[in-house]
Amino acid sequence: ATRSVAIYSGKADVVELPLSITHTRGTGVTTLSWPARPQPPALSGFDLFRGSRTDDGLPTTPSAPDPGLATLQQLACNVPNGTVGGPPITAADTAAPGINSAFYYLVGHSGATGATTGLGVTSNGMVRYPPALVACP
């Protein structure tokens, strides 16, 4: 199955970044793809992260969210940007979530000067960053 999810930056003047996720059941490979974007000199490529959500499997207890990104880990750092308007950028994940679990993925522009990757904007307008232990170098 393939699902495109528009990432909302919270800023009206920013073009949204659609992230497409395709999982091939036979091979167990999940492929993520997104379009190349213009990047100012302070940015160079993309950083990709994976987090997980676990549920106890009971319909009476809701799954706990991961607002602090505590489950986040590096999937790929410094993925090169492509040609704007060209083929999408892709990355693959071969890991499988555990029983009653699901993965979520976040992609952000990689800082060329070692700046921490911004991973979107929270509902109160603050930029969300990965925890320091999983930040890309």
Side-chain angles (χ1 to χ4, degrees), residues 10-115:
K11 300 183 186 225
D13 61 339
V14 177
V15 177
E16 305 306 337
L17 177 66
L19 175 63
S20 294
I21 302 172
T22 302
H23 180 74
T24 304
R25 192 177 224 179
T27 63
V29 175
T30 300
T31 303
L32 300 108
S33 63
W34 61 96
R37 297 283 301 274
Q39 293 183 317
L43 302 174
S44 179
F46 297 89
D47 296 334
L48 178 61
F49 300 89
R50 177 184 66 220
S52 62
R53 300 277 312 267
T54 302
D55 187 80
D56 61 11
L58 300 173
T60 55
T61 54
S63 170
D66 188 16
L69 306 177
T71 66
L72 213 60
Q73 56 186 281
Q74 295 174 2
L75 189 58
C77 295
N78 304 314
V79 176
N81 194 4
T83 303
V84 176
I89 300 162
T90 61
D93 185 11
T94 58
I99 295 174
N100 292 329
S101 297
F103 287 148
Y104 67 89
Y105 298 92
L106 298 172
V107 176
H109 292 278
S110 185
T113 59

